[in-house]
Amino acid sequence: MLIVALTGGIGSGKSTVGEIFANLGALVVDSDQLARDVLVRGSEGFDQVVAEFGDEILKNGDIDRASLGEIVFNDREKLAKLESITHPLIRKAFKNFVDQAPADSIVINQIPLLVESKSNYTFDAVITVSAPIEIRKQRLAIRGLSEAEIDRRIAAQASDSEREAISDFIIQNAGSSDELSSAVEKIWSKLQILNKGK
């Protein structure tokens, strides 16, 4: 089995790349989805986060991610506290996924904040999706984000060069969808070779 990290800044197109890999036969896990899953009502993560941050983060009995985000993104200590609760649970959820996967799988974990989290994962390879800032901003504006929100989110993340520094493969996503598919397919071929050689 090959365990691969797929990362990239907001608006880089990593979700699209993840979908292409899935269509090629990879088992793709989205860490953002795992982060939501570990905070569902009734879960261990839900109980711990509500105990730490109080009922004001609840909306209709569920954790309101926007309210929680406003609290933690303006306070490094509170963000660190939230991460100390959620990161072990996310890693455990990912391990459970891997344990259930066929032995010859190529598992790709989409992790937006791989560099920032300095996570305790061990990956056989790291792929970064990069795109020029202006293109990323255009994509995010189409999604409906304000210019101020776009600037704030990009500033909060690592730079492309920081992500590329820890990567085995880099996908430049500034061209057409055909060019992107071709770049992903080339890396997929290399991953299959790596997996057979393990």
Side-chain angles (χ1 to χ4, degrees):
M1 186 181 292
L2 202 69
I3 310 291
V4 181
L6 173 62
T7 193
I10 187 168
S12 63
K14 67 188 165 299
S15 297
T16 304
V17 169
E19 286 170 16
I20 297 169
F21 273 122
N23 289 335
L24 291 169
L27 298 180
V28 180
V29 187
D30 182 354
S31 277
D32 278 350
Q33 184 59 51
L34 293 182
R36 286 188 282 273
D37 292 346
V38 301
L39 293 182
V40 296
R41 194 188 325 189
S43 68
E44 178 186 352
F46 176 94
D47 292 343
Q48 289 182 30
V49 169
V50 173
E52 179 65 33
F53 294 98
D55 290 345
E56 64 266 24
I57 63 165
L58 295 177
K59 187 175 182 181
N60 301 323
D62 295 314
I63 290 173
D64 180 30
R65 291 169 64 85
S67 299
L68 184 58
E70 280 177 26
I71 293 168
V72 300
F73 288 123
N74 296 313
D75 187 323
R76 285 188 178 277
E77 281 186 20
K78 287 181 178 172
L79 178 60
K81 183 64 191 177
L82 176 65
E83 289 174 344
S84 74
I85 295 169
T86 58
H87 285 185
L89 295 171
I90 293 166
R91 281 195 289 274
K92 184 177 172 186
F94 179 64
K95 183 181 182 300
N96 289 342
F97 180 91
V98 169
D99 288 347
Q100 291 168 25
D104 60 348
S105 301
I106 297 176
V107 177
I108 295 181
N109 191 351
Q110 269 180 226
I111 307 185
L113 304 179
L114 179 65
V115 175
E116 297 86 337
S117 66
K118 301 176 178 63
S119 66
N120 299 324
Y121 295 99
T122 304
F123 292 106
D124 298 305
V126 175
I127 303 166
T128 285
V129 184
S130 291
I133 288 284
E134 286 313 310
I135 290 178
R136 289 168 59 193
K137 285 183 174 182
Q138 287 167 17
R139 291 172 182 159
L140 294 169
I142 291 166
R143 281 195 219 166
L145 274 74
S146 69
E147 194 172 338
E149 179 69 4
I150 291 167
D151 289 341
R152 188 173 71 82
R153 291 200 186 190
I154 289 176
Q157 294 187 347
S159 66
D160 277 352
S161 57
E162 288 173 302
R163 280 185 286 267
E164 289 172 9
I166 64 162
S167 299
D168 301 286
F169 303 102
I170 298 163
I171 296 171
Q172 295 294 343
N173 182 21
S176 68
S177 56
D178 285 347
E179 287 171 320
L180 182 62
S181 293
S182 176
V184 174
E185 284 164 10
K186 283 176 186 167
I187 292 173
W188 177 246
S189 297
K190 292 174 181 174
L191 294 179
Q192 288 176 300
I193 293 165
L194 277 175
N195 199 24
K196 287 193 178 92
K198 280 194 80 181

